mmCIF file of all heavy atoms in Angstrom:
data_model
loop_
_atom_site.group_PDB
_atom_site.id
_atom_site.type_symbol
_atom_site.label_atom_id
_atom_site.label_comp_id
_atom_site.label_asym_id
_atom_site.label_seq_id
_atom_site.Cartn_x
_atom_site.Cartn_y
_atom_site.Cartn_z
ATOM 1 N N LYS A 1 55.701 -15.169 9.485
ATOM 2 C CA LYS A 1 54.252 -15.134 9.369
ATOM 3 C C LYS A 1 53.794 -13.704 9.575
ATOM 4 O O LYS A 1 54.160 -13.064 10.557
ATOM 5 C CB LYS A 1 53.588 -16.040 10.409
ATOM 6 C CG LYS A 1 52.075 -16.107 10.298
ATOM 7 C CD LYS A 1 51.484 -17.020 11.358
ATOM 8 C CE LYS A 1 49.988 -17.209 11.169
ATOM 9 N NZ LYS A 1 49.256 -15.918 11.138
ATOM 10 N N ILE A 2 53.010 -13.178 8.605
ATOM 11 C CA ILE A 2 52.534 -11.800 8.676
ATOM 12 C C ILE A 2 51.031 -11.772 8.857
ATOM 13 O O ILE A 2 50.294 -12.394 8.077
ATOM 14 C CB ILE A 2 52.915 -11.021 7.398
ATOM 15 C CG1 ILE A 2 54.434 -10.940 7.260
ATOM 16 C CG2 ILE A 2 52.320 -9.616 7.433
ATOM 17 C CD1 ILE A 2 54.902 -10.265 5.979
ATOM 18 N N ASP A 3 50.588 -11.084 9.868
ATOM 19 C CA ASP A 3 49.163 -10.811 10.053
ATOM 20 C C ASP A 3 48.923 -9.364 9.654
ATOM 21 O O ASP A 3 49.513 -8.429 10.228
ATOM 22 C CB ASP A 3 48.730 -11.024 11.493
ATOM 23 C CG ASP A 3 48.727 -12.483 11.884
ATOM 24 O OD1 ASP A 3 48.599 -13.337 10.976
ATOM 25 O OD2 ASP A 3 48.864 -12.796 13.088
ATOM 26 N N TYR A 4 48.098 -9.158 8.662
ATOM 27 C CA TYR A 4 47.817 -7.822 8.094
ATOM 28 C C TYR A 4 46.453 -7.382 8.609
ATOM 29 O O TYR A 4 45.427 -7.858 8.150
ATOM 30 C CB TYR A 4 47.837 -7.920 6.571
ATOM 31 C CG TYR A 4 47.780 -6.618 5.801
ATOM 32 C CD1 TYR A 4 48.739 -6.300 4.858
ATOM 33 C CD2 TYR A 4 46.739 -5.713 5.988
ATOM 34 C CE1 TYR A 4 48.693 -5.126 4.113
ATOM 35 C CE2 TYR A 4 46.674 -4.533 5.260
ATOM 36 C CZ TYR A 4 47.648 -4.248 4.325
ATOM 37 O OH TYR A 4 47.584 -3.076 3.602
ATOM 38 N N TYR A 5 46.438 -6.464 9.577
ATOM 39 C CA TYR A 5 45.204 -5.968 10.157
ATOM 40 C C TYR A 5 44.749 -4.739 9.352
ATOM 41 O O TYR A 5 45.453 -3.735 9.280
ATOM 42 C CB TYR A 5 45.426 -5.585 11.625
ATOM 43 C CG TYR A 5 45.744 -6.768 12.503
ATOM 44 C CD1 TYR A 5 47.054 -7.207 12.672
ATOM 45 C CD2 TYR A 5 44.725 -7.453 13.167
ATOM 46 C CE1 TYR A 5 47.348 -8.289 13.475
ATOM 47 C CE2 TYR A 5 45.012 -8.538 13.978
ATOM 48 C CZ TYR A 5 46.320 -8.961 14.130
ATOM 49 O OH TYR A 5 46.598 -10.047 14.932
ATOM 50 N N ILE A 6 43.536 -4.836 8.787
ATOM 51 C CA ILE A 6 43.123 -3.802 7.834
ATOM 52 C C ILE A 6 41.738 -3.265 8.135
ATOM 53 O O ILE A 6 40.860 -3.954 8.677
ATOM 54 C CB ILE A 6 43.161 -4.392 6.394
ATOM 55 C CG1 ILE A 6 42.968 -3.290 5.342
ATOM 56 C CG2 ILE A 6 42.143 -5.527 6.223
ATOM 57 C CD1 ILE A 6 43.244 -3.737 3.924
ATOM 58 N N ASN A 7 41.552 -2.007 7.778
ATOM 59 C CA ASN A 7 40.245 -1.356 7.862
ATOM 60 C C ASN A 7 39.279 -2.026 6.885
ATOM 61 O O ASN A 7 39.630 -2.292 5.732
ATOM 62 C CB ASN A 7 40.414 0.112 7.532
ATOM 63 C CG ASN A 7 39.149 0.922 7.676
ATOM 64 O OD1 ASN A 7 38.226 0.791 6.858
ATOM 65 N ND2 ASN A 7 39.095 1.772 8.671
ATOM 66 N N TYR A 8 38.075 -2.282 7.342
ATOM 67 C CA TYR A 8 37.075 -2.970 6.507
ATOM 68 C C TYR A 8 36.832 -2.270 5.188
ATOM 69 O O TYR A 8 36.789 -2.910 4.121
ATOM 70 C CB TYR A 8 35.765 -3.059 7.295
ATOM 71 C CG TYR A 8 34.584 -3.504 6.455
ATOM 72 C CD1 TYR A 8 34.424 -4.832 6.079
ATOM 73 C CD2 TYR A 8 33.627 -2.574 6.037
ATOM 74 C CE1 TYR A 8 33.348 -5.230 5.290
ATOM 75 C CE2 TYR A 8 32.556 -2.961 5.265
ATOM 76 C CZ TYR A 8 32.413 -4.291 4.883
ATOM 77 O OH TYR A 8 31.359 -4.668 4.110
ATOM 78 N N HIS A 9 36.682 -0.940 5.195
ATOM 79 C CA HIS A 9 36.365 -0.215 3.968
ATOM 80 C C HIS A 9 37.561 -0.129 3.032
ATOM 81 O O HIS A 9 37.396 -0.115 1.808
ATOM 82 C CB HIS A 9 35.824 1.177 4.302
ATOM 83 C CG HIS A 9 34.527 1.140 5.046
ATOM 84 N ND1 HIS A 9 33.364 0.627 4.489
ATOM 85 C CD2 HIS A 9 34.209 1.495 6.314
ATOM 86 C CE1 HIS A 9 32.384 0.711 5.382
ATOM 87 N NE2 HIS A 9 32.871 1.223 6.489
ATOM 88 N N SER A 10 38.764 -0.050 3.577
ATOM 89 C CA SER A 10 39.951 -0.061 2.730
ATOM 90 C C SER A 10 40.031 -1.370 1.945
ATOM 91 O O SER A 10 40.358 -1.377 0.756
ATOM 92 C CB SER A 10 41.217 0.103 3.575
ATOM 93 O OG SER A 10 41.295 1.402 4.105
ATOM 94 N N LEU A 11 39.749 -2.462 2.623
ATOM 95 C CA LEU A 11 39.764 -3.766 1.955
ATOM 96 C C LEU A 11 38.657 -3.859 0.923
ATOM 97 O O LEU A 11 38.864 -4.295 -0.213
ATOM 98 C CB LEU A 11 39.621 -4.880 2.987
ATOM 99 C CG LEU A 11 39.560 -6.303 2.436
ATOM 100 C CD1 LEU A 11 40.849 -6.644 1.692
ATOM 101 C CD2 LEU A 11 39.314 -7.300 3.563
ATOM 102 N N ASN A 12 37.472 -3.416 1.302
ATOM 103 C CA ASN A 12 36.311 -3.505 0.410
ATOM 104 C C ASN A 12 36.483 -2.647 -0.836
ATOM 105 O O ASN A 12 36.158 -3.074 -1.960
ATOM 106 C CB ASN A 12 35.043 -3.089 1.165
ATOM 107 C CG ASN A 12 33.786 -3.364 0.378
ATOM 108 O OD1 ASN A 12 33.516 -4.494 -0.008
ATOM 109 N ND2 ASN A 12 32.998 -2.326 0.135
ATOM 110 N N ASP A 13 37.041 -1.439 -0.672
ATOM 111 C CA ASP A 13 37.187 -0.515 -1.788
ATOM 112 C C ASP A 13 38.369 -0.849 -2.682
ATOM 113 O O ASP A 13 38.476 -0.329 -3.796
ATOM 114 C CB ASP A 13 37.345 0.930 -1.277
ATOM 115 C CG ASP A 13 36.075 1.453 -0.634
ATOM 116 O OD1 ASP A 13 35.025 0.809 -0.793
ATOM 117 O OD2 ASP A 13 36.138 2.488 0.050
ATOM 118 N N ASN A 14 39.284 -1.681 -2.184
ATOM 119 C CA ASN A 14 40.490 -2.010 -2.943
ATOM 120 C C ASN A 14 40.699 -3.527 -3.017
ATOM 121 O O ASN A 14 41.819 -4.020 -2.947
ATOM 122 C CB ASN A 14 41.713 -1.356 -2.296
ATOM 123 C CG ASN A 14 41.614 0.147 -2.261
ATOM 124 O OD1 ASN A 14 41.914 0.843 -3.212
ATOM 125 N ND2 ASN A 14 41.151 0.681 -1.107
ATOM 126 N N ALA A 15 39.578 -4.235 -3.204
ATOM 127 C CA ALA A 15 39.629 -5.688 -3.159
ATOM 128 C C ALA A 15 40.570 -6.272 -4.209
ATOM 129 O O ALA A 15 41.170 -7.337 -4.009
ATOM 130 C CB ALA A 15 38.220 -6.250 -3.352
ATOM 131 N N ASP A 16 40.724 -5.558 -5.347
ATOM 132 C CA ASP A 16 41.572 -6.076 -6.417
ATOM 133 C C ASP A 16 43.038 -6.176 -5.982
ATOM 134 O O ASP A 16 43.796 -6.971 -6.548
ATOM 135 C CB ASP A 16 41.463 -5.208 -7.655
ATOM 136 C CG ASP A 16 41.740 -3.732 -7.420
ATOM 137 O OD1 ASP A 16 41.259 -3.208 -6.399
ATOM 138 O OD2 ASP A 16 42.425 -3.099 -8.232
ATOM 139 N N LEU A 17 43.437 -5.393 -4.980
ATOM 140 C CA LEU A 17 44.818 -5.430 -4.524
ATOM 141 C C LEU A 17 45.105 -6.642 -3.643
ATOM 142 O O LEU A 17 46.261 -7.016 -3.457
ATOM 143 C CB LEU A 17 45.151 -4.166 -3.736
ATOM 144 C CG LEU A 17 45.236 -2.848 -4.502
ATOM 145 C CD1 LEU A 17 45.507 -1.712 -3.522
ATOM 146 C CD2 LEU A 17 46.307 -2.900 -5.560
ATOM 147 N N PHE A 18 44.066 -7.219 -3.060
ATOM 148 C CA PHE A 18 44.278 -8.228 -2.027
ATOM 149 C C PHE A 18 43.962 -9.654 -2.474
ATOM 150 O O PHE A 18 43.827 -10.546 -1.657
ATOM 151 C CB PHE A 18 43.468 -7.858 -0.787
ATOM 152 C CG PHE A 18 43.989 -6.644 -0.098
ATOM 153 C CD1 PHE A 18 43.530 -5.377 -0.438
ATOM 154 C CD2 PHE A 18 44.973 -6.746 0.859
ATOM 155 C CE1 PHE A 18 44.018 -4.234 0.177
ATOM 156 C CE2 PHE A 18 45.479 -5.606 1.479
ATOM 157 C CZ PHE A 18 45.006 -4.358 1.135
ATOM 158 N N ARG A 19 43.862 -9.844 -3.767
ATOM 159 C CA ARG A 19 43.619 -11.194 -4.278
ATOM 160 C C ARG A 19 44.892 -12.037 -4.189
ATOM 161 O O ARG A 19 45.985 -11.558 -4.413
ATOM 162 C CB ARG A 19 43.144 -11.124 -5.731
ATOM 163 C CG ARG A 19 41.805 -10.438 -5.887
ATOM 164 C CD ARG A 19 41.323 -10.467 -7.327
ATOM 165 N NE ARG A 19 40.082 -9.710 -7.488
ATOM 166 C CZ ARG A 19 39.885 -8.785 -8.396
ATOM 167 N NH1 ARG A 19 40.856 -8.484 -9.246
ATOM 168 N NH2 ARG A 19 38.737 -8.138 -8.476
ATOM 169 N N ASN A 20 44.716 -13.284 -3.844
ATOM 170 C CA ASN A 20 45.801 -14.284 -3.834
ATOM 171 C C ASN A 20 47.016 -13.857 -3.008
ATOM 172 O O ASN A 20 48.143 -13.791 -3.528
ATOM 173 C CB ASN A 20 46.251 -14.583 -5.279
ATOM 174 C CG ASN A 20 45.111 -15.046 -6.152
ATOM 175 O OD1 ASN A 20 44.313 -15.902 -5.740
ATOM 176 N ND2 ASN A 20 45.018 -14.514 -7.358
ATOM 177 N N PRO A 21 46.833 -13.585 -1.717
ATOM 178 C CA PRO A 21 47.991 -13.255 -0.885
ATOM 179 C C PRO A 21 48.888 -14.477 -0.705
ATOM 180 O O PRO A 21 48.438 -15.619 -0.805
ATOM 181 C CB PRO A 21 47.350 -12.852 0.441
ATOM 182 C CG PRO A 21 46.037 -13.571 0.464
ATOM 183 C CD PRO A 21 45.577 -13.613 -0.959
ATOM 184 N N PRO A 22 50.186 -14.258 -0.444
ATOM 185 C CA PRO A 22 51.077 -15.387 -0.156
ATOM 186 C C PRO A 22 50.565 -16.205 1.037
ATOM 187 O O PRO A 22 49.841 -15.683 1.892
ATOM 188 C CB PRO A 22 52.415 -14.705 0.176
ATOM 189 C CG PRO A 22 52.326 -13.353 -0.470
ATOM 190 C CD PRO A 22 50.884 -12.966 -0.428
ATOM 191 N N GLY A 23 50.948 -17.472 1.083
ATOM 192 C CA GLY A 23 50.436 -18.359 2.125
ATOM 193 C C GLY A 23 50.790 -17.937 3.528
ATOM 194 O O GLY A 23 50.071 -18.303 4.475
ATOM 195 N N ASN A 24 51.865 -17.186 3.673
ATOM 196 C CA ASN A 24 52.274 -16.761 5.038
ATOM 197 C C ASN A 24 51.777 -15.376 5.382
ATOM 198 O O ASN A 24 52.220 -14.776 6.366
ATOM 199 C CB ASN A 24 53.793 -16.835 5.164
ATOM 200 C CG ASN A 24 54.532 -15.990 4.119
ATOM 201 O OD1 ASN A 24 54.020 -15.780 3.023
ATOM 202 N ND2 ASN A 24 55.720 -15.524 4.462
ATOM 203 N N LEU A 25 50.850 -14.861 4.579
ATOM 204 C CA LEU A 25 50.226 -13.558 4.848
ATOM 205 C C LEU A 25 48.731 -13.756 5.077
ATOM 206 O O LEU A 25 48.007 -14.223 4.208
ATOM 207 C CB LEU A 25 50.469 -12.606 3.678
ATOM 208 C CG LEU A 25 49.746 -11.254 3.719
ATOM 209 C CD1 LEU A 25 50.211 -10.432 4.913
ATOM 210 C CD2 LEU A 25 49.964 -10.479 2.440
ATOM 211 N N THR A 26 48.265 -13.376 6.259
ATOM 212 C CA THR A 26 46.850 -13.515 6.622
ATOM 213 C C THR A 26 46.211 -12.138 6.743
ATOM 214 O O THR A 26 46.715 -11.275 7.477
ATOM 215 C CB THR A 26 46.695 -14.263 7.948
ATOM 216 O OG1 THR A 26 47.327 -15.540 7.865
ATOM 217 C CG2 THR A 26 45.232 -14.456 8.292
ATOM 218 N N ILE A 27 45.128 -11.907 5.990
ATOM 219 C CA ILE A 27 44.402 -10.654 6.045
ATOM 220 C C ILE A 27 43.363 -10.734 7.160
ATOM 221 O O ILE A 27 42.513 -11.613 7.147
ATOM 222 C CB ILE A 27 43.718 -10.345 4.703
ATOM 223 C CG1 ILE A 27 44.687 -10.484 3.535
ATOM 224 C CG2 ILE A 27 43.079 -8.964 4.720
ATOM 225 C CD1 ILE A 27 45.845 -9.529 3.570
ATOM 226 N N LYS A 28 43.424 -9.795 8.097
ATOM 227 C CA LYS A 28 42.507 -9.790 9.231
ATOM 228 C C LYS A 28 41.767 -8.465 9.293
ATOM 229 O O LYS A 28 42.388 -7.408 9.524
ATOM 230 C CB LYS A 28 43.275 -10.042 10.538
ATOM 231 C CG LYS A 28 43.954 -11.416 10.591
ATOM 232 C CD LYS A 28 44.508 -11.725 11.976
ATOM 233 C CE LYS A 28 45.014 -13.151 12.044
ATOM 234 N NZ LYS A 28 45.453 -13.536 13.403
ATOM 235 N N VAL A 29 40.464 -8.506 9.093
ATOM 236 C CA VAL A 29 39.648 -7.291 9.113
ATOM 237 C C VAL A 29 39.403 -6.869 10.559
ATOM 238 O O VAL A 29 39.039 -7.693 11.409
ATOM 239 C CB VAL A 29 38.314 -7.515 8.386
ATOM 240 C CG1 VAL A 29 37.451 -6.252 8.475
ATOM 241 C CG2 VAL A 29 38.549 -7.894 6.928
ATOM 242 N N LEU A 30 39.601 -5.597 10.823
ATOM 243 C CA LEU A 30 39.353 -5.047 12.159
ATOM 244 C C LEU A 30 37.851 -4.795 12.342
ATOM 245 O O LEU A 30 37.254 -3.975 11.641
ATOM 246 C CB LEU A 30 40.145 -3.746 12.329
ATOM 247 C CG LEU A 30 41.657 -3.961 12.423
ATOM 248 C CD1 LEU A 30 42.413 -2.661 12.124
ATOM 249 C CD2 LEU A 30 42.046 -4.491 13.789
#
């Protein structure tokens, strides 16, 4: 199980990269 802790603006500016993550990967905004 992977928890991916990410900067809010990095996620917002690169949203196309984070579509449809695998089920065992959780994106968590800091």
